[in-house]
Amino acid sequence: MPDLVVDRVAKEFPTRAEPLVVLREASLELSAGQNAAIVGPSGSGKSTLLHIIGTLDAPTSGSVTLGGENPFALDEPQLARFRNRNIGFVFQDHHLLPQLSVLENVLIPALADGAPAREIVERAKDLLSRVGLSERLAHRPAELSGGERQRAGVARALLLRPALLLADEPTGNLDRKTAAAIGSLLVEMQRQENTMLLVVTHSAELAGHLDRRYEIDDGRLVPA
Ligand code: ADP
Ligand code: MG
């Protein structure tokens, strides 16, 4: 059985008039080591779908299972724990905390369990070296370039060895050359870590780095 099963997910947002139907029947399966891009124009529902797969929002109908578990059956504290352990997020805007060093930022996912153990700190340093930031551990985010900040974001997302790595327009704020480097890095790190990777993007170039491509067409996922 695939590790991620998205089965006929629908999402409607209530409005004062008719509900806004964003997703109708979006289905997708991924196993460890597999990656896919979800492309489509702005407003087609890419972020909505990624939020649902990331357990940040519940579907109106349909189901998501990750590692055989239905996250939406969990209560809020259990769900937060499940998400922290199983899902890594890379955002368009890096979401690094300005007052923390790069190393401290990468350790954030471990802080839910108290002060990070030595192995976790070693893991963070190893990831930072693999994303090319071994000389930047004590820098603050403001002292990094945009590409370096996104590299730190990738390291942070992978800290707890998530089964699933999700990225929403991860190169949206970067120049073309830096974007290409981050696209390659995401896939390379995903392969090394043997996670699943889903990237949402309107960039055909970034989508070209991934093994499979889907688009959202009238609320359904179809091969692009
Ligand atoms: P994309 O990421 O492909 O640009 P989104 O998933 O962000 O698209 O949005 C899809 C549609 O759903 C848009 O029309 C947007 O306005 C609407 N939408 C997204 N989130 C909400 C919300 N929380 N409430 C109401 N409408 C929303
Ligand atoms: Mg979006």
Side-chain angles (χ1 to χ4, degrees), residues 147 171-181:
T171 63
N173 290 346
L174 303 174
D175 63 74
R176 215 170 149 191
K177 191 166 155 229
T178 308

Side-chain angles (χ1 to χ4, degrees), residues 143-156:
E143 298 160 352
L144 300 179
S145 69
E148 287 171 337
R149 284 195 280 267
Q150 211 47 317
R151 287 171 184 273
V154 172
R156 179 190 50 195

Side-chain angles (χ1 to χ4, degrees), residues 46-47 168-169:
K46 303 184 299 296
S47 294
D168 193 348
E169 302 284 5

Side-chain angles (χ1 to χ4, degrees), residues 35-49:
N35 68 52
I38 298 172
V39 298
S42 180
S44 59
K46 303 184 299 296
S47 294
T48 300
L49 179 60

Side-chain angles (χ1 to χ4, degrees), residues 86-204:
N86 294 292
I87 307 172
F89 293 91
V90 177
F91 305 94
Q92 172 166 358
D93 170 24
H94 53 81
H95 288 207
L96 299 172
L97 298 179
Q99 70 277 27
L100 298 185
S101 70
V102 167
L103 179 59
E104 288 164 345
N105 265 289
V106 170
L107 284 166
I108 286 174
L111 299 181
D113 296 322
R118 193 154 51 92
E119 309 89 82
I120 293 279
V121 178
E122 289 312 311
R123 162 89 176 150
K125 289 181 179 168
D126 174 59
L127 284 165
L128 281 165
S129 131
R130 285 156 59 199
V131 301
L133 292 178
S134 50
E135 309 295 312
R136 299 283 185 277
L137 303 189
H139 280 53
R140 309 280 149 188
E143 298 160 352
L144 300 179
S145 69
E148 287 171 337
R149 284 195 280 267
Q150 211 47 317
R151 287 171 184 273
V154 172
R156 179 190 50 195
L158 289 169
L159 183 73
L160 299 183
R161 304 180 194 279
L164 176 61
L165 183 59
L166 300 177
D168 193 348
E169 302 284 5
T171 63
N173 290 346
L174 303 174
D175 63 74
R176 215 170 149 191
K177 191 166 155 229
T178 308
I182 294 294
S184 312
L185 177 78
L186 266 173
V187 173
E188 187 188 317
M189 295 299 285
Q190 179 245 333
R191 296 244 155 82
Q192 289 176 14
E193 296 282 317
N194 199 38
T195 65
M196 299 177 277
L197 168 65
L198 268 181
V199 178
V200 155
T201 182
H202 64 267
S203 158

